[in-house]
């Protein structure tokens, strides 16, 4: 048989070997060089970036070797080193080690995780990941869910499900009828994705109640009850509470058990925003704090945070998967689907039709490292956060401004202004000490280190606190320098 010609957009054997070799080299160098990256946020080369923006795409391709060189010379140096051990800003962990390989395989086999004939094994793998996650919260066998692009979309899908559950004719009527406006309750410390979802769904921000929090930044259940009563008295219709297990700023955990009692008594959907915190359920030390999540109707969580999956991997789990299906399943004459009890058609459990094989990277990491390694990684971040909190408490010029129930550590420098704190964040980044984030609690600004990084060590924490103490002494001239 004559040798087949290389198809137009395929690589020939030589280029496949070259690309494999260059990719392996790139990943090796990236891993080795990470701790020595001088600046976590790069000193951006504007000329290079302008070139990337303005250069026309070549009529004749540059080929594999020059492509890799362009990535190493132009893209990598202008990228934030999110996997650096002292990248402690926001809630973002470094990707786990097998992730790039799993992503490459997912791209190669390009399963379309919409209906099972286009992705039979992928459908089962997504089911297995979701049922493992649901099991962590002791959800019943009726539970199901879907992997999403992140926690925000998981919460949007959850609120869509809650809406359909409350108004089964919602798909036909929308919210444009004479019934009372629906009201959603969350806390002042909730992530903005809750408001965003309410706005997208047409609930209206005027119908979102931000319930005040207690001294530890947890939703006040007495205030929740009072708000529900006031809304009912005003002729409105309470329908859903979003509790947070791990608020984005301080990691506070709302009193889910008591909130679940209110939801049961008032017949409200209870959604948990666990994008940051829910996967701390994997820690023996923290599991108890999440036991009441079993009572929630739905939980949003983020494998791209505490399972260290590369972006994007969020997840929604719903206690009764039929409710999720009722919200999203539509019949399409152009899709021929035969039911099979082993596989699911994930297009019926969310808004997307074409969907990537996100479950592979989560599954591959669980297989490669085993669940115990994830427990250890999570415990490691918890222990480091406690260590950081202790070191801050021991420094005379620094002060914690919130308890540290998980891994977010919020603090201030005594006698420094809000502007000083903003400036200090920039200094820490530019001198290469660390990338920390801003915190705002009760209207006061501070600094937040969120340890979602399995690469961080005690030495990294010491280095950060020592620099902080140095800058704090400088900020307080009356104290010894
Ligand atoms: C509590 C909480 N909810 C929601 C989100 C949003 O998650 P994502 O960025 O995956 O959409 C975050 C992100 O940090 C979060 O901490």
């Amino acid at each position: 048989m004559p040798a087949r010609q290389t198809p137009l957009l395929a690589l020939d054997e030589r280029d496949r070997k070259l690309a494999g070799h260059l990719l392996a080299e790139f990943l090796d160098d990236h891993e080795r060089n990470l701790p020595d990256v001088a600046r976590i946020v790069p000193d951006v080369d504007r000329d290079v970036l302008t070139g990337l923006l303005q250069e026309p795409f070549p009529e004749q391709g540059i080929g594999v070797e020059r492509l890799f060189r362009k990535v190493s010379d132009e893209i990598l140096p202008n990228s934030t080193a999110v996997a650096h051990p002292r990248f402690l800003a926001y809630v973002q962990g470094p990707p786990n080690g097998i992730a790039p390989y799993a992503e490459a395989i997912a791209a190669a086999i390009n399963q379309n995780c919409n209906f099972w004939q286009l992705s039979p094994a992928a459908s089962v793998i997504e089911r297995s990941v979701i049922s493992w996650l649901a099991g962590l919260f002791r959800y019943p066998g009726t539970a199901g869910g879907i992997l999403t692009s992140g926690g925000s979309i998981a919460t949007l899908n959850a609120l869509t499900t809650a809406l359909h559950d409350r108004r089964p004719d919602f798909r036909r009527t929308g919210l444009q009828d004479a019934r009372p406006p629906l009201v959603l309750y969350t806390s002042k410390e909730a992530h903005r994705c809750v408001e965003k979802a309410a706005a997208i769904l047409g609930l209206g921000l005027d119908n979102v109640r931000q319930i005040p929090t207690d001294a530890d930044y947890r939703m006040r259940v007495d205030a929740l009850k009072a708000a529900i009563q006031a809304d009912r008295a005003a002729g409105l219709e309470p329908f859903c509470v979003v509790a947070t297990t791990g608020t984005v700023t301080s990691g506070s955990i709302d009193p889910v058990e008591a909130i679940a009692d209110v939801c049961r008594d008032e017949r409200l959907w209870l959604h948990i925003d666990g994008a940051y915190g829910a996967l701390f359920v994997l820690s023996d030390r923290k599991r108890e704090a999440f036991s009441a999540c079993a009572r929630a109707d739905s939980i949003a969580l983020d494998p791209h945070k505490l399972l260290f999956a590369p972006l994007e991997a969020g997840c929604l789990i719903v206690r009764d998967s039929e409710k999720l299906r009722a919200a999203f399943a539509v019949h399409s004459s152009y899709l021929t689907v035969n039911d099979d009890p082993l596989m699911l058609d994930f297009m019926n459990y969310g808004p997307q039709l074409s969907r990537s094989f996100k479950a592979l990277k989560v599954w591959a990491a669980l297989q490669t490292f085993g669940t115990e390694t994830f427990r250890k990684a999570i415990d490691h971040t918890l222990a480091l956060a406690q260590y950081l909190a202790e070191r801050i408490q021991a420094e005379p010029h620094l002060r914690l401004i919130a308890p540290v129930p998980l891994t977010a550590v919020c603090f201030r420098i005594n006698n420094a202004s809000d502007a000083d704190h903003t400036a200090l964040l920039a200094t820490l980044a530019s001198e290469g000490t660390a990338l920390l984030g801003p915190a705002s609690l009760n209207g006061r600004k501070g600094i937040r280190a969120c340890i979602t990084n399995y690469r961080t060590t005690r030495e990294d924490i010491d280095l950060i606190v020592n620099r902080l103490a140095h800058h704090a002494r400088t900020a307080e001239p009356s104290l010894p320098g």
Side-chain angles (χ1 to χ4, degrees):
M1 259 211 294
R4 263 156 79 75
Q5 266 205 323
T6 308
L8 276 177
L9 290 174
L11 296 181
D12 64 21
E13 196 172 333
R14 185 187 150 277
D15 274 353
R16 285 200 303 276
K17 287 218 168 87
L18 180 63
H21 168 74
L22 291 172
L23 177 63
E25 206 170 64
F26 178 90
L27 295 176
D28 262 9
D29 287 350
H30 186 248
E31 176 72 34
R32 238 194 309 272
N33 296 337
L34 252 185
D36 302 323
V37 168
R39 291 179 57 118
I40 299 171
V41 179
D43 194 5
V44 167
D45 186 331
R46 305 193 74 79
D47 290 341
V48 167
L49 292 191
T50 306
L52 287 175
L53 180 66
Q54 290 176 348
E55 268 168 27
F57 287 102
E59 193 66 32
Q60 307 297 323
I62 62 172
V64 169
E65 193 155 9
R66 281 181 60 201
L67 171 79
F68 272 89
R69 210 173 314 134
K70 235 172 145 49
V71 170
S72 296
D73 293 351
E74 299 178 30
I75 297 182
L76 188 65
N78 290 297
S79 297
T80 303
V82 296
H84 187 281
R86 293 189 300 280
F87 176 96
L88 303 179
Y90 317 108
V91 194
Q92 182 173 354
N96 66 72
I98 198 69
Y101 306 92
E103 287 284 67
I105 293 167
I109 63 176
N110 203 28
Q111 297 296 282
N112 198 337
C113 301
N114 49 10
F115 56 96
W116 73 260
Q117 279 96 340
L118 298 191
S119 48
S123 174
V124 171
I125 287 189
E126 185 159 351
R127 282 191 74 182
S128 83
V129 166
I130 287 164
S131 84
W132 177 69
L133 289 168
L136 295 177
F137 298 94
R138 301 219 165 82
Y139 258 19
T142 53
I146 187 163
L147 293 188
T148 62
S149 54
S152 304
I153 298 300
T155 284
L156 173 63
N157 293 358
L159 296 189
T160 310
T161 310
L163 203 48
H164 281 260
D165 190 50
R166 170 58 60 128
R167 301 254 169 105
D169 56 356
F170 171 66
R171 184 173 291 174
R172 199 173 43 77
T173 63
L175 290 172
Q176 319 233 45
D177 62 13
R179 282 176 287 184
L182 298 171
V183 185
L184 174 77
Y185 303 82
T186 192
S187 94
K188 274 175 65 183
E189 289 299 317
H191 193 270
R192 292 303 292 266
C193 73
V194 179
E195 280 196 326
K196 226 176 178 177
I200 292 169
L201 290 171
L203 290 163
L205 294 186
D206 286 351
N207 298 311
V208 178
R209 304 282 175 263
Q210 293 191 329
I211 303 299
T213 50
D214 64 16
D216 290 343
Y217 304 103
R218 297 173 305 188
M219 189 192 290
R220 270 180 43 205
V221 179
D222 62 324
L224 171 67
K225 284 184 190 163
I228 293 170
Q229 271 167 23
D231 284 330
R232 287 208 196 282
L236 307 178
E237 186 177 334
F239 90 107
C240 178
V241 179
V242 179
T244 309
T245 54
T247 55
V248 61
T249 304
S250 71
S252 61
I253 299 174
D254 283 339
V256 176
E257 190 79 60
I259 294 172
D261 287 345
V262 174
C263 290
R264 179 201 57 211
D265 296 346
E266 300 281 348
R267 297 191 46 255
L268 309 180
W269 183 283
L270 174 56
H271 174 62
I272 305 277
D273 176 1
Y276 164 32
L279 282 167
F280 283 105
V281 72
L282 279 164
S283 165
D284 288 341
R285 292 159 52 192
K286 292 289 165 188
R287 182 159 311 123
E288 193 49 37
F290 299 91
S291 57
C293 292
R295 296 180 61 192
D297 294 288
S298 54
I299 306 176
L301 42 92
D302 255 351
H304 67 207
K305 294 188 169 79
L306 290 185
L307 291 183
F308 310 101
L311 298 168
E312 301 164 344
C315 181
L316 170 64
I317 47 179
V318 178
R319 146 185 281 284
D320 178 353
S321 62
E322 274 311 305
K323 293 189 174 179
L324 184 60
R325 199 182 144 82
F328 289 106
V330 290
H331 172 73
S332 325
S333 58
Y334 45 85
L335 300 175
T336 49
V337 178
N338 300 319
D339 282 346
D340 186 302
L342 185 57
M343 269 85 62
L344 277 187
D345 302 317
F346 278 97
M347 64 185 180
N348 289 333
Y349 294 85
Q352 275 181 275
L353 180 57
S354 292
R355 295 176 67 244
S356 63
F357 189 5
K358 290 186 171 60
L360 183 66
K361 59 192 170 191
V362 181
W363 177 88
L366 289 166
Q367 293 285 348
T368 305
F369 297 107
T371 53
E372 191 189 326
T373 313
F374 284 92
R375 291 181 202 285
K376 282 187 182 158
I378 286 172
D379 278 336
H380 174 71
T381 64
L382 284 164
L384 281 185
Q386 285 311 315
Y387 179 60
L388 174 58
E390 282 160 23
R391 285 241 27 210
I392 285 173
Q393 270 171 319
E395 285 294 334
H397 313 318
L398 302 176
R399 140 178 84 87
L400 290 177
I401 54 172
V404 184
L406 297 174
T407 58
V409 182
C410 298
F411 57 94
R412 275 185 71 84
I413 297 173
N414 294 330
N415 303 329
S417 67
D418 286 357
D420 290 337
H421 284 87
T422 308
L424 178 55
L425 280 176
T427 305
L428 291 173
S430 67
E431 70 186 19
T433 299
L435 188 72
L436 309 183
S440 180
L441 286 164
N442 283 341
R444 299 273 356 238
K445 290 217 163 46
I447 290 180
R448 171 172 163 281
C450 189
I451 303 170
T452 330
N453 194 331
Y454 63 83
R455 294 175 184 273
T456 312
T457 62
R458 278 169 84 96
E459 289 70 36
D460 290 311
I461 301 292
D462 286 337
L463 191 149
I464 293 169
V465 178
N466 293 346
R467 286 306 291 167
L468 280 168
H470 165 81
H471 289 298
R473 280 196 295 272
T474 321
E476 285 192 279
S478 56
L479 296 163

